[in-house]
Amino acid sequence: MNQDRIPFNKPCFEGKELVYIAQAINNGLISGDGAYTKRCHAFFERHLGVSRAFLTTSCTHALEMAAILLDFGPGDEVIVPSFTFVSTPNAFLLHKAKPVFVDIRDDTLNMDESLLEGLITPRTKAIVPVHYAGVGCEMDAIGEIAAARGVAVIEDNAQGLFGKYKGEFLGTLGCMSALSFHETKNITCGEGGALLINDPSYIERAEIIREKGTNRSRLFRGEVDKYTWVDVGSSYLPSDILAGFLYAQLEARTQIQQQRQRVWQYYNDSLKDWAGRHSVRLPYVPDHCEQSYHMFYMIMPSHEDRQAMIAHLKSENIQAVFHYLPLHLSEMGAKLGAKAGDCPVTTDISDRLIRLPFFNELTEAEQERIADAVRSFYK
Ligand SMILES: *Cc1c(COP(=O)(O)O)cnc(C)c1O
C-alpha cells in the first residue's frame, strides 16, 4: 500500500478566488451585501431566472429562513424525506414545525411522491423535496399534490445547482429553494448557502428576516430615512470576502461542471459491465432529468458487501463512504414519533449505498486505480 491516498472529497480552487478576496478587502466593505454579494445575487437571478436570490451563511440557514417565512405554529407539519441531511428537518423543527418523514423511491432515491397524499393532514404546511445527487424529484406530481392541498413546496437543492427537471433549473420549481456552498458541494466558498425565491410575495419579508428583523435594506435603497426593528429575524448574511470566493467559483462554473461530468462518466462507463454482472446498482437518472454531477454512488447487493467494499477500498488507500443514516430511525426521529418500519426503502438503501471519491480535480489515473480496485472486490 504505497500509493497515495485518494480522499473522498477535496475542495478545489479555480483560480480567481484569492484575487476576489483581496479585492473585497480593498473595497473596504467586508460585512454582508457588498459588491461580490450583489454580483452573486445578480448571477442567480439572471442565470437561473429566480425572482430574488439571497446569499446566506449556509443552506441550513436558508432553510431556516424558509421556515420563518412560512410561519409555522405549534403542531404544523412539514413533510421531508427520511433519506436526507439532518438540516432538512432541523431547520423547520427549530421554527416550530413537526417533521413527518416520507420514504424514497427505489430508483432515484428521491422522495416517493406517491406516498405524499397519505401523509398530508390539515396541519401540513410544506413539502420539502431534496434532489438527491442533483437528480430532480418528480416535481410535476409533487407540485400538483401540493397545489391541490394548499401546501407550499420548498426545494432543498443543496446538491442540485445547475441540474434540470424537464428543462427547468432545479430550485426554480417550488415557491423557494435553498442552495449550499459547503466545501463538499460542486460550487463552494467553504461554508455558505442561498435562499432563492420564486414566489415574489415572500421577497419583502425575506429581506427583513435576513437582516435581523430590521428594514435596514430599505434604508440602503433610500426608501426610509432610518431603519428599525419590524419582525423576527437573525443574522444570515455571509461576509463579502466569502462572496468574492463564491463569485470566482460561479464564474468558473462551466469548467467545474465539465470536470465533474467527466468524473461521473468515467465511473459509469468503467463500472457498468462489472456492476451488471454482480447485481450492483449504479445511479439512475431519468430521461427528463439533467443531473448536476454531484456524486457517484453504488448500491451493493447487501449491507455486508457494502461494509466489505469500504474496507477493501480502504486497504487500497481509497476513501469511499456511506451516506445518510435514516432520520426516522435516529434518536430524534423516534422522539418525533417516527416508527422503525416507517420508511423501508430508506432503511434498505441506506444500508447498501457507497459513494466513491468525487471532486473536480480527480484525475483519470486516479479513477483508473479506483475502478480497478472496485472491480477486484468480487474474486
Ligand atoms: C449539504 C446539505 C445541506 C446542508 O448544507 P449547509 O450549507 O452545510 O447547511 C442540507 N441539505 C442537503 C440535502 C445537503 O446535501
Side-chain angles (χ1 to χ4, degrees):
M1 198 173 86
N2 49 15
Q3 297 195 83
D4 288 344
R5 177 170 181 273
I6 304 179
F8 171 68
N9 180 60
K10 204 158 97 178
C12 297
F13 304 99
E14 299 302 322
K16 282 203 158 166
E17 288 88 347
L18 290 174
V19 178
Y20 291 171
I21 285 175
Q23 186 60 51
I25 294 167
N26 286 334
N27 285 346
L29 195 158
I30 57 171
S31 56
D33 280 345
Y36 283 108
T37 304
K38 291 199 172 90
R39 274 178 215 175
C40 292
H41 289 174
F43 171 83
F44 291 120
E45 286 159 18
R46 287 201 205 110
H47 188 82
L48 302 180
V50 296
S51 297
R52 202 68 162 77
F54 292 108
L55 288 197
T56 57
T57 32
S58 65
C59 176
T60 307
H61 283 165
L63 291 168
E64 280 194 41
M65 281 183 65
I68 298 170
L69 280 166
L70 259 75
D71 259 331
F72 283 91
D76 286 342
E77 295 166 6
V78 59
I79 300 179
V80 298
S82 171
F83 192 62
T84 184
F85 191 58
V86 286
S87 288
T88 317
N90 240 340
F92 292 88
L93 186 58
L94 263 173
H95 296 279
K96 300 201 278 290
K98 175 185 187 306
V100 171
F101 299 106
V102 59
D103 207 357
I104 51 171
R105 296 169 56 107
D106 187 47
D107 53 5
T108 56
L109 318 188
N110 282 329
M111 83 170 24
D112 184 342
E113 67 282 359
S114 72
L115 300 173
L116 290 172
E117 276 290 2
L119 294 172
I120 293 176
T121 74
R123 303 307 306 263
T124 309
K125 271 201 126 160
I127 300 171
V128 186
V130 176
H131 305 300
Y132 187 70
V135 175
C137 294
E138 284 310 312
M139 293 306 288
D140 277 354
I142 294 168
E144 271 166 39
I145 296 163
R149 304 292 297 267
V151 170
V153 176
I154 297 164
E155 300 172 73
D156 179 340
N157 195 29
Q159 303 175 14
L161 178 57
F162 305 128
K164 288 183 175 176
Y165 170 81
K166 297 190 178 171
E168 311 231 31
F169 281 115
L170 300 179
T172 66
L173 304 158
C175 64
M176 33 190 144
S177 65
L179 286 171
S180 174
F181 308 118
H182 182 262
E183 119 180 332
T184 51
K185 307 300 199 269
N186 293 23
I187 302 275
T188 178
C189 60
E191 299 275 1
L195 180 69
L196 305 184
I197 299 200
N198 297 308
D199 177 344
S201 67
Y202 290 109
I203 294 175
E204 197 181 327
R205 193 161 174 242
E207 200 172 72
I208 289 166
I209 289 166
R210 183 165 165 271
E211 271 282 18
K212 301 105 187 163
T214 72
N215 58 359
R216 192 160 176 262
S217 301
R218 296 192 66 191
L219 174 72
F220 288 127
R221 284 198 300 270
E223 294 168 13
V224 289
D225 56 12
K226 53 181 180 296
Y227 81 89
T228 182
W229 186 23
V230 294
D231 202 339
V232 295
S234 191
S235 184
Y236 294 124
L237 283 68
S239 160
D240 213 50
I241 297 175
L242 281 179
F245 191 115
L246 181 66
Y247 193 66
Q249 295 246 322
L250 289 172
E251 275 189 339
R253 68 191 176 281
T254 309
Q255 165 191 337
I256 292 173
Q257 290 301 99
Q258 276 170 0
Q259 287 168 328
R260 299 187 74 96
Q261 179 170 7
R262 169 186 57 77
V263 169
W264 194 93
Q265 209 62 55
Y266 185 95
Y267 279 137
N268 202 52
D269 294 346
S270 58
L271 297 175
K272 208 167 35 195
D273 294 344
W274 167 85
R277 280 198 304 279
H278 297 285
S279 305
V280 172
R281 268 175 50 197
L282 300 185
Y284 168 69
V285 183
D287 285 341
H288 57 272
C289 291
E290 289 171 42
Q291 62 157 319
S292 65
Y293 301 102
H294 177 62
M295 76 168 81
F296 194 91
Y297 64 78
M298 306 192 292
I299 301 170
M300 301 298 290
S302 68
H303 178 63
E304 293 66 35
D305 279 12
R306 195 273 302 274
Q307 298 302 84
M309 178 64 99
I310 290 176
H312 170 70
L313 293 175
K314 189 170 179 222
S315 77
E316 300 278 341
N317 227 359
I318 295 164
Q319 188 189 21
V321 295
F322 55 88
H323 210 184
Y324 305 127
L325 298 173
L327 294 177
H328 75 284
L329 298 181
S330 67
E331 211 176 305
M332 193 65 209
K335 282 187 207 163
L336 290 166
K339 303 275 176 299
D342 280 353
C343 302
V345 182
T346 299
T347 304
D348 173 49
I349 293 290
S350 168
D351 267 351
R352 297 191 287 128
L353 186 140
I354 173 173
R355 295 177 292 158
L356 297 179
F358 204 110
F359 48 90
N360 310 352
E361 289 164 6
L362 194 60
T363 64
E364 201 161 306
E366 287 171 321
Q367 281 198 281
E368 199 178 321
R369 224 182 94 196
I370 297 163
D372 281 345
V374 167
R375 286 182 304 234
S376 70
F377 176 70
Y378 291 110
K379 299 292 182 283

